[in-house]
Amino acid sequence: MSFLLSRLRRTALAALAATLLAAPAPALAETSGDTLVVATMWEALPLSMKPRRSRFFNESEILDTLVKLDFEMNLIPGLATSWERPQPNTWRFALREGVTFHDGSPFDADAAKFSLERVIALLPYAADLLNITEIRAVSPQVLEIETSEPFAALPNQLTDAITGIYGKASFDAAGEFVSPVGTGPWKFADYRKQDRTIVERFDDYWGKAPSLKTIEYRYIPDHNARALALETGEVDFVVHLLPSDVARLSRDEAFKVHAEESAGVYYGAFNAGEKSVLSDARIRRAVNLLVDREIVVKGALDGIGNPAWTFFPAAFPWTNEDVTPHKVDPEAAAGLLRDAGYEKADGKWMKDGAPLTLRLLSYSSRAEMATITEALAILLQQQGIATEIQMFTWEGMLDLVKKGEYDVSVVFWTPEMTGHPDLHLKSQFHSRAGLNHQFWVNEEFDALVDKGRTLDPGPEALATYVRAQQILQEDAPIIPLVHKVYVAASRAGVEGFRVHPSGFFYNFKAVSKK
């Protein structure tokens, strides 16, 4: 244990020490009282719909969605005030009256129809998410959506950032995206490449107007520099903090640390295809039995996270105690490995004279990915499974994954984002899903998630998804590792911020500064 902890913390502690020695923090400078300056790890890129599926437009609330999620992940009205399903394949939405876009044009059913059709045309991912065959503007305040099959999950899917409602002025004459024009409390004002994105208060917002006038999103990709910017007064609010920074800022009364369970699971996706030894489910199950997630959380994240023994966390609405969690059981793992033809010699699992070796891939844009991947590797090595780690950009890792040139890819996913399991189970693990780069096929699982999306919430739907989750545990195409705890920090004078469990909604309209 001590070896693991010291090895994982070495890089973070060295960087922290260098920062503190080189630049002791002066007294806090002042930023404008009606402007909130936010340091982010990702560049907002407000002139494109495609990066990160345009989540910034939802995070910043430039755009509204028809349906929203409250802080308990319940569906609540957005631009739609109510919804019903008069026919199995038809949803009808009553739209909010008196809403205008940032350019002054009215929001109505025609505008909603135009936006959703543009999104589906420009972002292919949206087609499977929404399952739409036709959109009809029945009247100025009534929108009907026809789906290809009974689709109970549609209102939940309409909370996803990809479904934000764009005004027609967001697009040029050829229908290509230009810049975001929405109905939200903030309107896009300025973008300076590799520097900052600025949004301003929209005074004609349909809801309660924000108290702040401006939000400025500063792009600071370096993790240590981002925390230092808060300590020196350059910014008011910071997201994506290193565990060492969280501990230090928590001890300083000049700052507030905001930490809550939220959407997100770090997990290892197994290559179940023919190019990997993990095509054998016995080895996949054995790996799950050998990794102590408690150690991963403590060693890789200094305790900022929760051990993930299932894909969904316990608080997720569709989780059930009938889903059997993984556990640490080296003896059971050894039995599975022997059944798969391996024998342990000199502390290593061997077959035909070759050691069992797993190639672990991950990406470096999230600082925690390296330490989580290393923790997984060390724990497997301690149990006699050799590992090879390679870190890439996200795109570089994905290129290899799509080719099947890996054994485990350590990734991050946000499974609570819409409050419904369809988005996650079908888009990630269905054999025909575009995101299933694991080459995993389970016909029973496919049939269950295909059925689940047609069922209204109730006992049958719950039983269907519980069985699908159980198959995910038993056939083990993944190893869940850590459920995310969302952490941000602000100056002490920033008030009203609350972590949203979706992880993709700042709600700065409720924030003020002393």
Side-chain angles (χ1 to χ4, degrees):
M1 170 72 80
S2 59
F3 167 72
L4 172 63
L5 294 178
S6 62
R7 182 172 177 183
L8 292 176
R9 289 175 177 159
R10 191 181 305 139
T11 301
L13 291 175
L16 173 60
T19 298
L20 294 177
L21 288 171
L28 290 181
E30 289 299 323
T31 57
S32 172
D34 59 3
T35 295
L36 187 75
V37 182
V38 181
T40 65
M41 180 175 72
W42 309 101
E43 188 176 12
L45 299 173
L47 303 183
S48 174
M49 292 173 66
K50 296 181 180 179
R52 299 175 61 214
R53 303 201 301 275
S54 58
R55 297 206 186 284
F56 173 71
F57 304 146
N58 184 65
E59 289 172 328
S60 63
E61 291 189 279
I62 294 174
L63 305 184
D64 286 315
T65 50
L66 293 178
V67 185
K68 293 180 179 288
L69 292 166
D70 67 12
F71 283 86
E72 283 69 48
M73 298 295 285
N74 299 311
L75 296 176
I76 58 172
L79 290 176
T81 56
S82 64
W83 45 92
E84 61 178 347
R85 188 159 59 148
Q87 301 292 333
N89 290 30
T90 303
W91 281 93
R92 181 177 295 148
F93 297 84
L95 303 184
R96 194 175 295 277
E97 297 184 18
V99 177
T100 60
F101 287 99
H102 299 153
D103 66 340
S105 61
F107 164 76
D108 56 17
D110 282 326
K113 169 181 163 65
F114 168 84
S115 178
L116 291 173
E117 289 176 344
R118 274 284 77 205
V119 164
I120 291 170
L122 294 176
L123 300 173
Y125 168 84
D128 191 55
L129 177 75
L130 299 174
N131 211 19
I132 290 173
T133 58
E134 185 182 0
I135 304 174
R136 297 184 291 270
V138 176
S139 72
Q141 305 309 134
V142 176
L143 182 77
E144 282 190 353
I145 296 179
E146 195 85 18
T147 56
S148 61
E149 61 186 340
F151 190 31
L154 183 64
N156 289 84
Q157 308 299 59
L158 289 172
T159 70
D160 191 276
I162 202 172
T163 69
I165 300 299
Y166 297 83
K168 291 184 179 180
S170 303
F171 306 91
D172 62 20
E176 295 298 321
F177 180 74
V178 178
S179 66
V181 177
T183 60
W186 307 99
K187 59 183 179 181
F188 171 66
D190 190 22
Y191 169 60
R192 304 171 196 174
K193 186 176 181 180
Q194 296 282 298
D195 182 15
R196 69 194 67 185
T197 295
I198 299 172
V199 301
E200 295 178 347
R201 182 175 61 214
F202 178 46
D203 291 329
D204 292 328
Y205 175 56
W206 56 266
K208 183 179 179 181
S211 61
L212 295 166
K213 181 180 178 181
T214 305
I215 309 291
E216 187 174 302
Y217 296 90
R218 295 268 184 92
Y219 172 53
I220 306 178
D222 181 83
H223 304 291
N224 293 303
R226 203 162 49 250
L228 188 61
L230 179 67
E231 293 177 286
T232 59
E234 181 184 348
V235 304
D236 303 300
F237 192 95
V238 177
V239 294
H240 298 110
L241 289 164
L242 294 172
S244 56
D245 293 324
V246 173
R248 187 173 72 259
L249 293 170
S250 297
R251 295 190 295 266
D252 194 328
E253 293 183 355
F255 308 103
K256 292 179 183 176
V257 171
H258 313 270
E260 296 288 346
E261 271 193 328
S262 67
V265 60
Y266 301 94
Y267 72 93
F270 291 155
N271 180 358
E274 61 183 14
K275 291 185 177 181
S276 172
V277 294
L278 294 175
S279 59
D280 190 328
R282 292 169 296 187
I283 302 177
R284 301 198 299 265
R285 290 196 291 270
V287 170
N288 267 288
L289 291 165
L290 291 174
V291 176
D292 190 335
R293 278 68 154 185
E294 296 276 358
I295 295 177
V296 176
V297 171
K298 292 175 183 176
L301 299 172
D302 282 354
I304 301 176
N306 294 316
W309 303 102
T310 58
F311 182 66
F312 290 125
F316 184 70
W318 295 79
T319 303
N320 189 277
E321 61 185 10
D322 291 336
V323 178
T324 306
H326 293 297
K327 61 182 179 179
V328 179
D329 190 339
E331 289 187 11
L336 288 166
L337 290 172
R338 291 191 179 97
D339 287 347
Y342 289 87
E343 291 295 334
K344 206 167 190 180
D346 297 325
K348 297 179 181 179
W349 287 102
M350 307 288 291
K351 184 177 183 180
D352 299 329
L356 174 56
T357 303
L358 299 181
R359 182 184 180 190
L360 277 54
L361 310 185
S362 194
Y363 53 101
S364 56
S365 54
R366 289 182 177 272
E368 66 272 24
M369 302 311 297
T371 54
I372 291 172
T373 304
E374 187 171 5
L376 174 62
I378 293 171
L379 289 170
L380 290 174
Q381 290 166 12
Q382 289 177 345
Q383 296 292 338
I385 297 178
T387 59
E388 299 173 356
I389 295 177
Q390 291 181 287
M391 301 297 295
F392 299 89
T393 63
W394 168 257
E395 293 79 8
M397 183 197 74
L398 198 58
D399 284 344
L400 292 173
V401 166
K402 288 179 178 179
K403 297 174 185 176
E405 296 176 3
Y406 78 106
D407 295 305
V408 185
S409 62
V410 182
V411 296
F412 175 76
W413 179 252
T414 50
E416 297 170 36
M417 198 160 47
T418 67
H420 194 285
D422 180 73
L423 169 65
H424 320 291
L425 299 183
K426 191 170 193 303
S427 69
Q428 293 288 99
F429 307 119
H430 193 287
S431 63
R432 295 187 299 278
L435 296 178
N436 182 356
H437 305 310
Q438 294 136 241
F439 312 99
W440 179 62
V441 178
N442 185 294
E443 293 181 359
E444 183 186 359
F445 179 89
D446 286 356
L448 287 164
V449 296
D450 285 340
K451 176 184 177 181
R453 59 173 20 202
T454 72
L455 301 174
D456 290 321
E460 185 181 6
L462 179 61
T464 299
Y465 280 117
V466 165
R467 177 57 189 155
Q469 292 173 68
Q470 185 64 25
I471 292 173
L472 205 64
Q473 296 291 103
E474 293 170 356
D475 209 26
I478 62 171
I479 175 171
L481 295 168
V482 180
H483 291 303
K484 183 178 178 64
V485 169
Y486 184 98
V487 180
S490 67
R491 296 189 186 209
V494 173
E495 298 182 339
F497 178 77
R498 183 180 175 188
V499 174
H500 193 275
S502 71
F504 285 108
F505 175 50
Y506 291 130
N507 196 31
F508 286 146
K509 65 179 180 293
V511 169
S512 61
K513 286 174 62 178
K514 286 184 178 179

Coordinates of all heavy atoms in Angstrom, one line a residue, residues 1 37 106 113 298 307 315 317 333-334 342 363-364 393 396 406 432 506 508 513:
M1 N 0.8 -1.2 0.0 CA 0.0 0.0 0.0 C 0.9 1.3 0.0 O 0.7 2.2 -0.8 CB -0.9 0.0 1.2 CG -1.7 1.3 1.4 SD -3.0 1.6 0.2 CE -4.2 0.6 1.0
V37 N -15.1 35.5 -13.0 CA -14.0 35.0 -13.8 C -13.8 33.5 -13.5 O -13.5 33.2 -12.3 CB -12.7 35.8 -13.7 CG1 -11.7 35.3 -14.7 CG2 -13.0 37.3 -14.0
P106 N -38.9 35.5 -31.7 CA -39.7 34.8 -30.8 C -39.4 33.3 -30.8 O -39.0 32.7 -31.8 CB -41.1 35.0 -31.3 CG -41.0 35.2 -32.7 CD -39.7 36.0 -32.9
K113 N -38.8 23.2 -33.6 CA -38.7 22.2 -34.7 C -37.4 22.5 -35.6 O -36.7 21.6 -35.9 CB -39.9 22.3 -35.6 CG -39.9 21.6 -36.9 CD -41.2 21.8 -37.7 CE -41.1 21.4 -39.1 NZ -40.8 19.9 -39.3
K298 N -8.1 6.0 -2.9 CA -7.1 6.6 -1.9 C -5.8 6.9 -2.6 O -5.2 8.0 -2.4 CB -6.9 5.7 -0.7 CG -8.2 5.5 0.1 CD -8.0 4.5 1.2 CE -9.3 4.3 2.0 NZ -9.1 3.2 3.0
P307 N -15.5 4.5 -4.4 CA -15.2 3.2 -5.1 C -16.4 2.8 -6.0 O -17.5 2.8 -5.6 CB -14.9 2.2 -4.0 CG -14.6 3.1 -2.8 CD -15.3 4.3 -3.0
A315 N -26.8 6.0 -5.8 CA -27.9 7.0 -5.8 C -28.6 7.2 -7.2 O -29.6 7.9 -7.3 CB -27.2 8.4 -5.4
P317 N -31.2 6.7 -10.0 CA -32.5 6.3 -9.8 C -32.8 4.9 -10.2 O -33.7 4.2 -9.7 CB -33.3 7.3 -10.7 CG -32.5 8.5 -10.8 CD -31.1 8.0 -10.8
A333 N -10.7 -15.3 -8.4 CA -10.0 -14.8 -9.6 C -9.0 -15.9 -10.1 O -8.9 -16.2 -11.3 CB -9.3 -13.5 -9.4
A334 N -8.3 -16.5 -9.1 CA -7.3 -17.5 -9.5 C -8.0 -18.7 -10.1 O -7.5 -19.3 -11.1 CB -6.5 -17.9 -8.2
Y342 N -4.3 -20.6 -17.5 CA -3.1 -20.0 -16.9 C -2.7 -20.7 -15.6 O -3.6 -21.2 -14.9 CB -3.4 -18.5 -16.6 CG -3.5 -17.7 -17.9 CD1 -4.8 -17.6 -18.6 CD2 -2.4 -17.0 -18.4 CE1 -4.9 -16.9 -19.7 CE2 -2.5 -16.3 -19.6 CZ -3.8 -16.2 -20.2 OH -3.9 -15.5 -21.4
Y363 N -5.6 8.7 -21.6 CA -5.3 10.0 -22.3 C -5.0 11.0 -21.2 O -5.4 10.9 -20.0 CB -6.5 10.5 -23.1 CG -7.9 10.5 -22.4 CD1 -8.4 11.6 -21.9 CD2 -8.6 9.3 -22.2 CE1 -9.6 11.7 -21.2 CE2 -9.8 9.3 -21.5 CZ -10.3 10.5 -21.0 OH -11.5 10.5 -20.3
S364 N -4.3 12.0 -21.6 CA -3.6 12.9 -20.6 C -4.3 14.2 -20.4 O -3.9 15.0 -19.6 CB -2.2 13.2 -21.0 OG -2.1 13.7 -22.3
T393 N -3.2 11.5 -26.4 CA -4.3 12.5 -26.5 C -5.5 11.6 -26.6 O -5.5 10.4 -26.9 CB -4.2 13.4 -27.7 OG1 -4.3 12.6 -28.9 CG2 -2.9 14.2 -27.7
G396 N -5.7 10.3 -30.1 CA -4.7 9.3 -30.3 C -5.1 7.9 -29.7 O -4.9 6.9 -30.3
Y406 N -5.5 -2.7 -28.3 CA -5.4 -2.4 -26.9 C -6.1 -3.6 -26.1 O -6.7 -4.5 -26.7 CB -6.2 -1.1 -26.5 CG -7.7 -1.3 -26.5 CD1 -8.4 -1.3 -25.3 CD2 -8.4 -1.5 -27.6 CE1 -9.7 -1.4 -25.2 CE2 -9.8 -1.6 -27.6 CZ -10.5 -1.6 -26.4 OH -11.8 -1.7 -26.3
R432 N -24.5 -2.8 -31.5 CA -24.5 -2.0 -32.7 C -24.3 -0.5 -32.4 O -24.5 0.4 -33.3 CB -25.8 -2.2 -33.5 CG -26.0 -3.6 -34.1 CD -27.3 -3.7 -34.9 NE -28.5 -3.4 -34.2 CZ -29.1 -4.3 -33.4 NH1 -28.6 -5.5 -33.3 NH2 -30.2 -4.0 -32.8
Y506 N -23.6 24.8 -14.7 CA -23.0 25.7 -13.6 C -24.0 26.4 -12.8 O -23.8 26.7 -11.6 CB -22.0 26.7 -14.3 CG -20.8 26.1 -14.9 CD1 -20.4 26.5 -16.2 CD2 -20.0 25.3 -14.1 CE1 -19.2 25.9 -16.7 CE2 -18.8 24.7 -14.7 CZ -18.4 25.1 -16.0 OH -17.3 24.6 -16.5
F508 N -24.8 29.6 -12.9 CA -24.2 30.9 -12.4 C -25.2 32.0 -12.3 O -25.0 33.0 -11.8 CB -23.0 31.3 -13.3 CG -21.8 30.5 -13.1 CD1 -20.9 30.2 -14.2 CD2 -21.4 30.0 -11.9 CE1 -19.8 29.5 -14.0 CE2 -20.3 29.2 -11.7 CZ -19.4 29.0 -12.8
K513 N -21.6 37.9 -6.0 CA -20.3 38.2 -5.4 C -20.4 39.3 -4.4 O -21.1 40.3 -4.6 CB -19.2 38.6 -6.5 CG -18.8 37.5 -7.4 CD -17.9 38.0 -8.5 CE -16.6 38.7 -8.0 NZ -15.8 39.2 -9.1

